[in-house]
Short mmCIF file of all heavy atoms in Angstrom, two decimals:
data_model
loop_
_atom_site.label_atom_id
_atom_site.label_comp_id
_atom_site.label_asym_id
_atom_site.label_seq_id
_atom_site.Cartn_x
_atom_site.Cartn_y
_atom_site.Cartn_z
N MET A 13 20.42 -1.63 30.53
CA MET A 13 19.24 -1.83 31.33
C MET A 13 18.36 -2.86 30.64
O MET A 13 18.12 -2.79 29.44
CB MET A 13 18.51 -0.49 31.46
CG MET A 13 17.45 -0.52 32.49
SD MET A 13 17.21 1.12 33.18
CE MET A 13 15.88 1.70 32.25
N MET A 14 17.87 -3.81 31.35
CA MET A 14 17.09 -4.90 30.77
C MET A 14 15.71 -4.39 30.31
O MET A 14 15.06 -3.62 31.00
CB MET A 14 16.90 -6.01 31.80
CG MET A 14 16.33 -7.25 31.17
SD MET A 14 16.62 -8.73 32.12
CE MET A 14 15.40 -8.59 33.39
N GLY A 15 15.29 -4.82 29.13
CA GLY A 15 13.98 -4.45 28.59
C GLY A 15 13.98 -3.16 27.80
O GLY A 15 12.93 -2.75 27.32
N CYS A 16 15.12 -2.53 27.62
CA CYS A 16 15.19 -1.28 26.86
C CYS A 16 15.97 -1.51 25.57
O CYS A 16 16.93 -2.27 25.55
CB CYS A 16 15.87 -0.18 27.67
SG CYS A 16 14.92 0.33 29.10
N GLN A 17 15.54 -0.81 24.52
CA GLN A 17 16.26 -0.89 23.26
C GLN A 17 17.21 0.30 23.16
O GLN A 17 16.90 1.40 23.61
CB GLN A 17 15.28 -0.85 22.09
CG GLN A 17 14.39 -2.05 22.01
CD GLN A 17 13.44 -1.95 20.83
OE1 GLN A 17 13.31 -0.90 20.20
NE2 GLN A 17 12.78 -3.05 20.52
N ALA A 18 18.35 0.05 22.53
CA ALA A 18 19.32 1.13 22.34
C ALA A 18 18.77 2.18 21.39
O ALA A 18 18.97 3.36 21.58
CB ALA A 18 20.63 0.56 21.82
N ALA A 19 18.08 1.75 20.34
CA ALA A 19 17.48 2.67 19.38
C ALA A 19 16.04 2.24 19.16
O ALA A 19 15.76 1.05 19.03
CB ALA A 19 18.25 2.63 18.07
N PRO A 20 15.10 3.17 19.12
CA PRO A 20 13.70 2.78 18.90
C PRO A 20 13.51 2.20 17.50
O PRO A 20 14.14 2.64 16.55
CB PRO A 20 12.93 4.09 19.05
CG PRO A 20 13.93 5.17 18.84
CD PRO A 20 15.26 4.60 19.27
N ALA A 21 12.64 1.20 17.41
CA ALA A 21 12.36 0.59 16.11
C ALA A 21 11.53 1.55 15.27
O ALA A 21 10.72 2.31 15.79
CB ALA A 21 11.60 -0.71 16.31
N GLN A 22 11.76 1.54 13.97
CA GLN A 22 10.99 2.39 13.07
C GLN A 22 9.59 1.80 12.93
O GLN A 22 9.43 0.64 12.59
CB GLN A 22 11.66 2.48 11.71
CG GLN A 22 10.98 3.46 10.79
CD GLN A 22 11.75 3.66 9.48
OE1 GLN A 22 12.85 3.14 9.33
NE2 GLN A 22 11.18 4.39 8.57
N LEU A 23 8.57 2.61 13.19
CA LEU A 23 7.20 2.12 13.14
C LEU A 23 6.60 2.19 11.74
O LEU A 23 5.74 1.39 11.39
CB LEU A 23 6.32 2.92 14.11
CG LEU A 23 6.68 2.79 15.58
CD1 LEU A 23 5.78 3.68 16.42
CD2 LEU A 23 6.57 1.36 16.04
N PHE A 24 7.01 3.16 10.94
CA PHE A 24 6.45 3.34 9.62
C PHE A 24 7.56 3.41 8.59
O PHE A 24 8.63 3.92 8.85
CB PHE A 24 5.63 4.64 9.56
CG PHE A 24 4.49 4.65 10.54
CD1 PHE A 24 4.62 5.30 11.75
CD2 PHE A 24 3.30 4.00 10.26
CE1 PHE A 24 3.58 5.31 12.66
CE2 PHE A 24 2.27 4.00 11.16
CZ PHE A 24 2.41 4.66 12.37
N TYR A 25 7.26 2.90 7.40
CA TYR A 25 8.22 2.89 6.32
C TYR A 25 7.58 3.51 5.08
O TYR A 25 6.38 3.36 4.86
CB TYR A 25 8.67 1.47 5.99
CG TYR A 25 9.36 0.78 7.12
CD1 TYR A 25 8.64 0.06 8.07
CD2 TYR A 25 10.73 0.86 7.26
CE1 TYR A 25 9.29 -0.57 9.12
CE2 TYR A 25 11.38 0.24 8.30
CZ TYR A 25 10.65 -0.47 9.23
OH TYR A 25 11.30 -1.08 10.27
N ASP A 26 8.36 4.21 4.27
CA ASP A 26 7.87 4.68 2.99
C ASP A 26 7.89 3.50 2.04
O ASP A 26 8.92 2.83 1.87
CB ASP A 26 8.77 5.79 2.44
CG ASP A 26 8.62 7.09 3.20
OD1 ASP A 26 7.51 7.34 3.71
OD2 ASP A 26 9.59 7.84 3.28
N PHE A 27 6.75 3.23 1.42
CA PHE A 27 6.66 2.09 0.52
C PHE A 27 5.65 2.42 -0.57
O PHE A 27 4.53 2.84 -0.29
CB PHE A 27 6.19 0.83 1.28
CG PHE A 27 6.15 -0.40 0.43
CD1 PHE A 27 7.29 -1.15 0.24
CD2 PHE A 27 4.98 -0.79 -0.17
CE1 PHE A 27 7.26 -2.29 -0.55
CE2 PHE A 27 4.93 -1.93 -0.96
CZ PHE A 27 6.07 -2.67 -1.14
N CYS A 28 6.05 2.25 -1.79
CA CYS A 28 5.16 2.47 -2.93
C CYS A 28 5.03 1.16 -3.68
O CYS A 28 6.00 0.65 -4.25
CB CYS A 28 5.72 3.57 -3.84
SG CYS A 28 4.67 3.86 -5.27
N LEU A 29 3.83 0.60 -3.68
CA LEU A 29 3.59 -0.69 -4.33
C LEU A 29 3.93 -0.62 -5.82
O LEU A 29 4.46 -1.57 -6.38
CB LEU A 29 2.13 -1.10 -4.13
CG LEU A 29 1.77 -2.52 -4.50
CD1 LEU A 29 2.61 -3.52 -3.70
CD2 LEU A 29 0.30 -2.77 -4.27
N ASP A 30 3.65 0.52 -6.46
CA ASP A 30 3.96 0.67 -7.89
C ASP A 30 5.44 0.48 -8.18
O ASP A 30 5.81 0.03 -9.26
CB ASP A 30 3.51 2.04 -8.39
CG ASP A 30 2.01 2.13 -8.55
OD1 ASP A 30 1.37 1.09 -8.76
OD2 ASP A 30 1.49 3.25 -8.46
N ASP A 31 6.29 0.81 -7.22
CA ASP A 31 7.73 0.65 -7.41
C ASP A 31 8.18 -0.80 -7.33
O ASP A 31 9.29 -1.15 -7.74
CB ASP A 31 8.51 1.45 -6.36
CG ASP A 31 8.32 2.95 -6.51
OD1 ASP A 31 7.90 3.39 -7.60
OD2 ASP A 31 8.59 3.67 -5.53
N HIS A 32 7.32 -1.68 -6.83
CA HIS A 32 7.72 -3.06 -6.59
C HIS A 32 6.95 -4.09 -7.41
O HIS A 32 7.29 -5.27 -7.38
CB HIS A 32 7.57 -3.39 -5.10
CG HIS A 32 8.43 -2.54 -4.24
ND1 HIS A 32 9.76 -2.82 -4.02
CD2 HIS A 32 8.19 -1.40 -3.57
CE1 HIS A 32 10.29 -1.90 -3.25
NE2 HIS A 32 9.35 -1.01 -2.96
N VAL A 33 5.92 -3.65 -8.14
CA VAL A 33 5.16 -4.58 -8.98
C VAL A 33 5.53 -4.30 -10.43
O VAL A 33 5.32 -3.19 -10.93
CB VAL A 33 3.63 -4.39 -8.77
CG1 VAL A 33 2.86 -5.32 -9.69
CG2 VAL A 33 3.25 -4.64 -7.32
N PRO A 34 6.09 -5.30 -11.13
CA PRO A 34 6.50 -5.10 -12.52
C PRO A 34 5.32 -4.68 -13.41
O PRO A 34 4.17 -5.04 -13.16
CB PRO A 34 7.02 -6.47 -12.95
CG PRO A 34 7.31 -7.20 -11.68
CD PRO A 34 6.37 -6.65 -10.66
N ALA A 35 5.60 -3.92 -14.45
CA ALA A 35 4.57 -3.41 -15.36
C ALA A 35 3.78 -4.55 -16.02
O ALA A 35 2.60 -4.39 -16.34
CB ALA A 35 5.20 -2.52 -16.41
N ASP A 36 4.42 -5.70 -16.22
CA ASP A 36 3.74 -6.81 -16.90
C ASP A 36 3.15 -7.83 -15.93
O ASP A 36 2.75 -8.92 -16.33
CB ASP A 36 4.72 -7.50 -17.86
CG ASP A 36 5.93 -8.10 -17.15
OD1 ASP A 36 6.17 -7.76 -15.97
OD2 ASP A 36 6.64 -8.90 -17.79
N HIS A 37 3.03 -7.48 -14.66
CA HIS A 37 2.48 -8.40 -13.65
C HIS A 37 0.98 -8.62 -13.89
O HIS A 37 0.26 -7.73 -14.30
CB HIS A 37 2.72 -7.83 -12.25
CG HIS A 37 2.48 -8.83 -11.16
ND1 HIS A 37 1.24 -9.13 -10.68
CD2 HIS A 37 3.35 -9.60 -10.48
CE1 HIS A 37 1.33 -10.04 -9.74
NE2 HIS A 37 2.61 -10.35 -9.60
N LEU A 38 0.50 -9.83 -13.63
CA LEU A 38 -0.90 -10.20 -13.83
C LEU A 38 -1.86 -9.24 -13.12
O LEU A 38 -2.90 -8.86 -13.67
CB LEU A 38 -1.13 -11.63 -13.33
CG LEU A 38 -2.56 -12.14 -13.33
CD1 LEU A 38 -3.09 -12.22 -14.75
CD2 LEU A 38 -2.65 -13.48 -12.64
N LEU A 39 -1.54 -8.83 -11.91
CA LEU A 39 -2.44 -7.96 -11.15
C LEU A 39 -2.62 -6.59 -11.80
O LEU A 39 -3.68 -5.98 -11.69
CB LEU A 39 -1.95 -7.80 -9.72
CG LEU A 39 -2.04 -9.05 -8.86
CD1 LEU A 39 -1.47 -8.79 -7.48
CD2 LEU A 39 -3.46 -9.57 -8.79
N ARG A 40 -1.62 -6.11 -12.51
CA ARG A 40 -1.77 -4.83 -13.21
C ARG A 40 -2.77 -4.98 -14.35
O ARG A 40 -3.56 -4.08 -14.62
CB ARG A 40 -0.44 -4.33 -13.73
CG ARG A 40 0.46 -3.84 -12.62
CD ARG A 40 1.62 -3.07 -13.22
NE ARG A 40 2.55 -2.65 -12.20
CZ ARG A 40 2.48 -1.47 -11.59
NH1 ARG A 40 1.54 -0.63 -11.89
NH2 ARG A 40 3.37 -1.16 -10.67
N GLY A 41 -2.77 -6.11 -15.03
CA GLY A 41 -3.74 -6.36 -16.10
C GLY A 41 -5.15 -6.45 -15.56
O GLY A 41 -6.09 -5.93 -16.16
N ILE A 42 -5.31 -7.09 -14.43
CA ILE A 42 -6.63 -7.20 -13.80
C ILE A 42 -7.10 -5.83 -13.35
O ILE A 42 -8.27 -5.47 -13.53
CB ILE A 42 -6.57 -8.18 -12.60
CG1 ILE A 42 -6.33 -9.61 -13.11
CG2 ILE A 42 -7.85 -8.11 -11.78
CD1 ILE A 42 -6.02 -10.60 -12.00
N ASP A 43 -6.21 -5.04 -12.77
CA ASP A 43 -6.56 -3.71 -12.26
C ASP A 43 -7.13 -2.82 -13.36
O ASP A 43 -8.01 -2.00 -13.12
CB ASP A 43 -5.34 -3.06 -11.61
CG ASP A 43 -5.66 -1.73 -10.97
OD1 ASP A 43 -6.59 -1.69 -10.14
OD2 ASP A 43 -4.99 -0.74 -11.29
N ARG A 44 -6.66 -2.99 -14.58
CA ARG A 44 -7.14 -2.16 -15.70
C ARG A 44 -8.61 -2.44 -16.00
O ARG A 44 -9.29 -1.62 -16.61
CB ARG A 44 -6.29 -2.41 -16.94
CG ARG A 44 -4.94 -1.72 -16.90
CD ARG A 44 -4.25 -1.83 -18.25
NE ARG A 44 -3.59 -3.12 -18.42
CZ ARG A 44 -2.31 -3.35 -18.14
NH1 ARG A 44 -1.56 -2.37 -17.70
NH2 ARG A 44 -1.79 -4.53 -18.32
N HIS A 45 -9.12 -3.61 -15.61
CA HIS A 45 -10.49 -4.01 -15.94
C HIS A 45 -11.45 -3.94 -14.77
O HIS A 45 -12.65 -4.16 -14.94
CB HIS A 45 -10.49 -5.43 -16.52
CG HIS A 45 -9.70 -5.53 -17.79
ND1 HIS A 45 -10.16 -5.04 -19.00
CD2 HIS A 45 -8.47 -6.02 -18.03
CE1 HIS A 45 -9.25 -5.25 -19.93
NE2 HIS A 45 -8.21 -5.84 -19.37
N LEU A 46 -10.96 -3.64 -13.59
CA LEU A 46 -11.83 -3.53 -12.41
C LEU A 46 -12.15 -2.08 -12.12
O LEU A 46 -11.30 -1.21 -12.26
CB LEU A 46 -11.13 -4.13 -11.18
CG LEU A 46 -10.99 -5.63 -11.14
CD1 LEU A 46 -10.27 -6.04 -9.87
CD2 LEU A 46 -12.33 -6.33 -11.21
N GLU A 47 -13.37 -1.84 -11.69
CA GLU A 47 -13.79 -0.50 -11.28
C GLU A 47 -13.87 -0.49 -9.75
O GLU A 47 -14.80 -1.04 -9.17
CB GLU A 47 -15.15 -0.17 -11.89
CG GLU A 47 -15.65 1.21 -11.57
CD GLU A 47 -14.72 2.29 -12.08
OE1 GLU A 47 -14.27 2.22 -13.24
OE2 GLU A 47 -14.44 3.21 -11.32
N LEU A 48 -12.86 0.09 -9.12
CA LEU A 48 -12.78 0.07 -7.66
C LEU A 48 -12.93 1.46 -7.04
O LEU A 48 -12.63 1.65 -5.86
CB LEU A 48 -11.44 -0.56 -7.22
CG LEU A 48 -11.25 -2.02 -7.62
CD1 LEU A 48 -9.86 -2.48 -7.25
CD2 LEU A 48 -12.30 -2.90 -6.98
N ASP A 49 -13.42 2.42 -7.80
CA ASP A 49 -13.55 3.78 -7.28
C ASP A 49 -14.46 3.84 -6.06
O ASP A 49 -14.19 4.58 -5.11
CB ASP A 49 -14.06 4.73 -8.36
CG ASP A 49 -13.03 4.98 -9.44
OD1 ASP A 49 -11.83 4.78 -9.18
OD2 ASP A 49 -13.43 5.36 -10.56
N SER A 50 -15.55 3.06 -6.06
CA SER A 50 -16.46 3.10 -4.91
C SER A 50 -15.78 2.53 -3.66
O SER A 50 -15.98 3.03 -2.55
CB SER A 50 -17.75 2.34 -5.21
OG SER A 50 -17.47 0.97 -5.44
N VAL A 51 -14.96 1.50 -3.84
CA VAL A 51 -14.24 0.91 -2.70
C VAL A 51 -13.22 1.91 -2.17
O VAL A 51 -13.10 2.13 -0.97
CB VAL A 51 -13.55 -0.41 -3.11
CG1 VAL A 51 -12.69 -0.94 -1.98
CG2 VAL A 51 -14.57 -1.43 -3.54
N ARG A 52 -12.49 2.54 -3.09
CA ARG A 52 -11.50 3.54 -2.68
C ARG A 52 -12.16 4.69 -1.93
O ARG A 52 -11.64 5.19 -0.94
CB ARG A 52 -10.74 4.05 -3.90
CG ARG A 52 -9.81 3.00 -4.49
CD ARG A 52 -8.99 3.58 -5.64
NE ARG A 52 -8.12 2.57 -6.18
CZ ARG A 52 -8.27 2.01 -7.38
NH1 ARG A 52 -9.26 2.40 -8.16
NH2 ARG A 52 -7.44 1.09 -7.80
N ALA A 53 -13.34 5.13 -2.40
CA ALA A 53 -14.05 6.23 -1.74
C ALA A 53 -14.47 5.83 -0.33
O ALA A 53 -14.38 6.63 0.61
CB ALA A 53 -15.26 6.64 -2.56
N GLN A 54 -14.93 4.59 -0.15
CA GLN A 54 -15.35 4.13 1.17
C GLN A 54 -14.17 3.99 2.13
O GLN A 54 -14.31 4.19 3.33
CB GLN A 54 -16.07 2.78 1.07
CG GLN A 54 -17.44 2.89 0.44
CD GLN A 54 -18.11 1.55 0.30
OE1 GLN A 54 -17.46 0.51 0.26
NE2 GLN A 54 -19.44 1.57 0.22
N LEU A 55 -13.01 3.66 1.60
CA LEU A 55 -11.83 3.45 2.46
C LEU A 55 -11.00 4.70 2.65
O LEU A 55 -10.08 4.70 3.47
CB LEU A 55 -10.96 2.34 1.87
CG LEU A 55 -11.62 0.95 1.81
CD1 LEU A 55 -10.68 -0.03 1.13
CD2 LEU A 55 -11.99 0.47 3.20
N LYS A 56 -11.31 5.77 1.93
CA LYS A 56 -10.51 6.98 2.00
C LYS A 56 -10.29 7.52 3.43
O LYS A 56 -9.19 7.96 3.74
CB LYS A 56 -11.12 8.07 1.12
CG LYS A 56 -10.23 9.27 0.98
CD LYS A 56 -10.80 10.26 -0.03
CE LYS A 56 -9.82 11.42 -0.18
NZ LYS A 56 -10.25 12.32 -1.23
N PRO A 57 -11.29 7.45 4.32
CA PRO A 57 -11.06 7.96 5.68
C PRO A 57 -9.95 7.20 6.43
O PRO A 57 -9.40 7.69 7.40
CB PRO A 57 -12.41 7.76 6.38
CG PRO A 57 -13.41 7.67 5.30
CD PRO A 57 -12.68 7.07 4.12
N PHE A 58 -9.61 6.02 5.96
CA PHE A 58 -8.61 5.21 6.64
C PHE A 58 -7.22 5.34 6.02
O PHE A 58 -6.26 4.74 6.52
CB PHE A 58 -9.04 3.74 6.63
CG PHE A 58 -10.38 3.53 7.26
CD1 PHE A 58 -11.51 3.32 6.47
CD2 PHE A 58 -10.53 3.58 8.62
CE1 PHE A 58 -12.76 3.14 7.04
CE2 PHE A 58 -11.78 3.41 9.22
CZ PHE A 58 -12.89 3.19 8.42
N TYR A 59 -7.08 6.09 4.93
CA TYR A 59 -5.78 6.30 4.29
C TYR A 59 -4.90 7.17 5.18
O TYR A 59 -5.37 8.07 5.85
CB TYR A 59 -5.91 6.99 2.94
CG TYR A 59 -6.57 6.19 1.84
CD1 TYR A 59 -6.91 6.80 0.64
CD2 TYR A 59 -6.85 4.85 1.97
CE1 TYR A 59 -7.51 6.09 -0.39
CE2 TYR A 59 -7.46 4.13 0.95
CZ TYR A 59 -7.78 4.76 -0.23
OH TYR A 59 -8.35 4.06 -1.24
N SER A 60 -3.61 6.91 5.14
CA SER A 60 -2.67 7.77 5.84
C SER A 60 -2.34 8.96 4.95
O SER A 60 -2.58 8.95 3.74
CB SER A 60 -1.41 7.01 6.19
OG SER A 60 -0.75 6.58 5.03
N THR A 61 -1.80 10.00 5.54
CA THR A 61 -1.46 11.17 4.76
C THR A 61 0.00 11.14 4.36
O THR A 61 0.80 10.48 4.94
CB THR A 61 -1.72 12.46 5.56
OG1 THR A 61 -1.00 12.39 6.77
CG2 THR A 61 -3.20 12.63 5.82
#
C-alpha cells in the first residue's frame, strides 16, 4: 500500500554521551571547571525519564 511503512521507525534511542566521549576529551576538562547545577535545575522539568 502506498504511503505505509512495513515496520514503524524507532522514535527514541538509548544513548549515553559518557559512553561516546573519550576520558581525555577537551570538553571533559572544561566540564570539571564549570558550575552548571543551576542550569541543570532549571532544565530538569524537560528531562526524559
Side-chain angles (χ1 to χ4, degrees):
M13 192 152 96
M14 191 159 78
C16 293
Q17 294 180 349
Q22 185 174 355
L23 296 177
F24 300 98
Y25 298 89
D26 288 330
F27 184 85
C28 179
L29 192 58
D30 286 333
D31 294 341
H32 298 278
V33 178
D36 62 346
H37 193 279
L38 174 65
L39 292 178
R40 288 193 183 268
I42 293 170
D43 184 54
R44 283 189 279 265
H45 298 285
L46 288 179
E47 182 61 46
L48 297 175
D49 290 338
S50 63
V51 175
R52 290 184 180 110
Q54 289 178 336
L55 297 176
K56 188 174 183 174
F58 304 103
Y59 292 171
S60 63
T61 56

